[in-house]
């Protein structure tokens, strides 16, 4: 499928780059033109992604709209793109949030606007590329590419501690990425040893049947890269600083898309490439996910800064996603994917809400608010819907994701499901308590009586998010239908290559036998 002779997936990736090339020739004094042109580019990318959605066949479990060209044949590297039901909605989420983020930056960004928009467009190229790449080398290029613009977005346009937050974000994610690069190279060399072909083709590497011990090592390397990105407990410490110091659009993209690259990485790479290690490590990862759910919620509860509270809530929400994915059944994985979309919408919207009020008051401390529902009723209405979405109220999107995840977890381990359910209760406590302190009661500061309500631009970028929050909450079937075949195929990929021998032995004995005894590799 192509548009104007350009393959559609490549068009979606490189349209922002074309926009960057045009922006180079626009004088930096033409700030209005720069903003509007950047918005136009992101809207065009979104339109292209809708064309992809329209042509996508949800009944197929194979990669669609595949683009494959030889790139560096001597090194087995190809320009290889494709999309399936797992990556489809994450691509759509990215292209949907980008114009919203650009529009939200119109008033919040007041210096170096041209450079800011260039970095935003470059970030979009990196993010879409990550979700579409099917060559591990190409994937790594896009993975690293997105670090650069996000580093500058935090470090140049962030808050007072922006340099510290940017460096911390870069070092943490880079540390995990380097280990993943080593594992990617090891995979390619192992494949050459088995098949005689040196390749980074992901679909070819899926066919490898590696010894369990080797799977464990490589899974560990991929795990660190993706766990830092999610971020899972205890790899989350960079997240609150990055979220708090990033500009509003940076926080939206960070929460909405970048964190999903870790969870997507588990689904696309770690699980199908290393199925035995995946199954064996399910209890460990599930426990870490549950700790993240409860820990993130408890820490969010004691925050004084609204933005930091939302940041810690992400640790809790992403814990739900990980728990669902590693239930390794269709309910859990589909719930995890839907919850990725929900988190992108709800938490992205919460950061927009925080940005709107911060632009008017220049504070994010909860104690500085109170009684705002009387002053800004429209803002209060949007805030209420998004808060209820975040805590998983039935009829809104958050409920669908959490329900499917808990259902999937319950089928595997009832204790895990019960413990995770406490996170839902804690989320209701910290979100509603925060909302009550900000919105209800007396107006505690005289200056807050003069706060202006939302303007047309702010309403324009919040309304589409509300639409999807309600749509997914009321009728999620169109979203689930598109991913059904791909998720079933992923589960089959994992289950069909996992050893069932010794399944009746206690977990610790089975793991010791498989990975630590001399003949473990043959079991």
């Amino acid at each position: 499928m192509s548009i104007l002779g350009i393959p559609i997936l490549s068009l979606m990736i490189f349209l922002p780059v074309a926009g960057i090339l045009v922006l180079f020739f626009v004088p930096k004094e033409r700030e209005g033109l720069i903003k509007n042109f950047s918005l136009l580019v992101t809207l065009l990318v979104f339109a292209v992604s809708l064309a992809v959605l329209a042509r996508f066949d949800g009944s197929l479990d194979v990669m669609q709209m595949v683009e494959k060209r030889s790139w560096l044949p001597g090194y087995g590297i190809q320009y290889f793109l494709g999309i399936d039901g797992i990556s489809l909605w994450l691509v759509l989420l990215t292209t949907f949030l980008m114009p919203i983020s650009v529009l939200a930056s119109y008033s919040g960004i007041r210096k170096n606007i041209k450079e800011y928009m260039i970095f935003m467009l470059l970030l979009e190229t990196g993010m879409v590329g990550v979700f579409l790449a099917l060559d591990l080398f190409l994937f790594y290029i896009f993975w690293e590419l997105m670090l650069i613009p996000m580093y500058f977005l935090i470090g140049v346009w962030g808050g007072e501690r922006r340099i510290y937050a940017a460096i911390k974000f870069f070092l943490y994610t880079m540390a995990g990425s380097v280990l993943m690069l080593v594992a990617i190279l090891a995979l390619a060399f192992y494949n050459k040893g088995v098949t005689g072909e040196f390749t980074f083709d992901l679909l070819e590497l899926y066919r490898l049947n590696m010894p369990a011990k080797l799977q464990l090592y490589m899974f560990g390397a991929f795990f660190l890269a993706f766990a830092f990105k999610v971020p899972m407990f205890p790899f989350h410490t960079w997240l609150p600083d990055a979220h708090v110091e990033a500009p509003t659009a940076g926080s939206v993209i960070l929460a909405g898309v970048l964190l999903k690259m870790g969870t997507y990485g588990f689904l696309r790479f770690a699980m199908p490439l290393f199925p035995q290690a995946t199954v064996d490590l399910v209890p460990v990862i599930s426990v870490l996910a549950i700790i993240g759910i409860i820990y993130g919620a408890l820490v969010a509860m004691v925050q004084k800064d609204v933005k930091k509270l939302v940041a810690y809530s992400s640790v809790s929400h992403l814990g739900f996603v990980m728990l669902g994915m590693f239930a390794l059944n269709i309910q859990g994985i589909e719930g995890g994917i839907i919850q990725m979309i929900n988190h992108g919408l709800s938490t992205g919207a919460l950061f927009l809400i925080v940005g709107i009020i911060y632009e008017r008051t220049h504070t994010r401390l909860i104690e500085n608010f109170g009684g705002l529902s009387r002053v800004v009723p429209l803002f209060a209405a949007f805030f209420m819907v998004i808060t209820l979405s975040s805590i998983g109220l039935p009829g809104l999107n958050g409920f669908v994701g959490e329900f499917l995840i808990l259902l999937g977890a319950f089928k595997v381990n009832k204790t895990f499901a019960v413990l995770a359910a406490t996170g839902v209760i804690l989320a209701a406590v910290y979100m509603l308590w925060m909302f009550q302190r900000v919105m209800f009661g007396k107006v505690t500061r005289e200056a807050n009586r003069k706060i202006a309500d939302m303007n047309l631009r702010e309403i324009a970028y919040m309304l589409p998010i509300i639409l999807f929050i309600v749509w997914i909450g009321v009728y999620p079937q169109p979203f689930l239908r598109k991913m059904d075949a791909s998720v079933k195929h992923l589960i089959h990929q994992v289950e069909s290559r996992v050893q069932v021998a010794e399944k009746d032995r206690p977990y610790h004995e089975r793991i010791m036998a498989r990975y630590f005894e001399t003949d473990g590799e043959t079991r």
Side-chain angles (χ1 to χ4, degrees), residues 430-449:
Y430 67 74
M431 288 300 295
L432 292 178
W433 188 34
M434 178 269 290
F435 186 83
Q436 178 252 320
R437 286 179 289 167
V438 172
M439 284 294 146
F440 298 131
K442 295 180 180 178
V443 179
T444 53
R445 296 178 75 197
E446 199 56 34
N448 288 348
R449 296 183 186 280

Side-chain angles (χ1 to χ4, degrees), residues 133-376:
L134 294 178
D135 180 282
L136 279 171
F137 182 84
L138 183 64
F139 163 77
Y140 190 78
I141 295 293
F142 285 125
W143 178 274
E144 292 296 293
L145 176 65
M146 69 187 179
L147 284 183
I148 300 165
M150 183 49 79
Y151 170 81
F152 283 104
L153 287 173
I154 298 172
V156 177
W157 291 274
E160 291 181 4
R161 297 174 67 243
R162 58 185 179 274
I163 302 296
Y164 168 76
I167 291 174
K168 194 173 180 181
F169 160 78
F170 194 89
L171 289 179
Y172 270 61
T173 49
M174 188 74 186
S177 302
V178 171
L179 284 174
M180 181 172 66
L181 177 62
V182 174
I184 288 172
L185 290 171
L187 258 178
F189 277 106
Y190 183 79
N191 185 71
K192 185 178 181 182
V194 174
T195 67
E197 183 185 6
F198 191 78
T199 182
F200 293 92
D201 184 328
L202 182 62
L203 303 189
E204 291 293 328
L205 296 173
Y206 278 163
R207 297 174 185 168
L208 282 174
N209 192 15
M210 284 180 278
K213 194 176 286 187
L214 183 60
Q215 285 192 40
L216 182 68
Y217 295 148
M218 293 200 186
F219 183 94
F222 276 81
F223 172 83
L224 281 176
F226 299 144
F228 274 118
K229 187 68 81 179
V230 172
M232 286 187 73
F233 176 88
F235 307 101
H236 64 282
T237 56
W238 62 270
L239 182 70
D241 291 311
H243 267 316
V244 170
E245 299 304 326
T248 296
S251 295
V252 173
I253 294 300
L254 194 59
V257 183
L258 260 63
L259 306 189
K260 313 304 177 300
M261 293 180 177
T263 47
Y264 169 78
F266 281 109
L267 289 176
R268 174 66 71 223
F269 302 99
M271 289 182 178
L273 283 172
F274 319 113
Q276 187 68 65
T278 297
V279 171
D280 288 340
L281 290 174
V282 161
V284 176
I285 294 174
S286 298
V287 168
L288 288 177
I290 291 168
I291 293 174
I293 290 170
I294 297 173
Y295 168 82
L298 290 174
V299 178
M301 204 177 297
V302 297
Q303 296 305 312
K304 298 177 180 178
D305 183 321
V306 184
K307 203 171 185 183
K308 211 163 188 175
L309 182 151
V310 178
Y312 275 107
S313 76
S314 289
V315 178
S316 185
H317 288 149
L318 269 296
F320 271 106
V321 174
M322 290 297 295
L323 183 68
M325 288 180 355
F326 277 83
L328 295 180
N329 52 39
I330 190 162
Q331 295 84 3
I333 294 178
E334 289 194 351
I337 296 172
I338 278 286
Q339 195 64 359
M340 290 186 219
I341 310 302
N342 294 339
H343 179 261
L345 296 171
S346 305
T347 305
L350 280 172
F351 280 120
L352 289 171
I353 286 286
V354 175
I356 290 171
I357 203 66
Y358 181 76
E359 284 183 21
R360 287 158 171 76
T361 62
H362 302 290
T363 180
R364 296 187 303 259
L365 294 178
I366 296 172
E367 65 184 16
N368 288 337
F369 301 116
L372 292 189
S373 61
R374 300 175 187 175
V375 182
V376 284

Side-chain angles (χ1 to χ4, degrees), residues 61-92:
D61 64 5
V62 296
M63 290 292 168
Q64 301 180 39
M65 301 171 218
V66 170
E67 300 172 22
K68 196 170 186 178
R69 302 282 186 277
S70 180
W71 183 10
L72 297 170
Y75 296 93
I77 297 171
Q78 305 171 86
Y79 178 76
F80 187 13
L81 305 175
I83 191 166
D84 68 353
I86 293 173
S87 52
L88 175 71
W89 291 117
L90 294 170
V91 171
L92 266 292

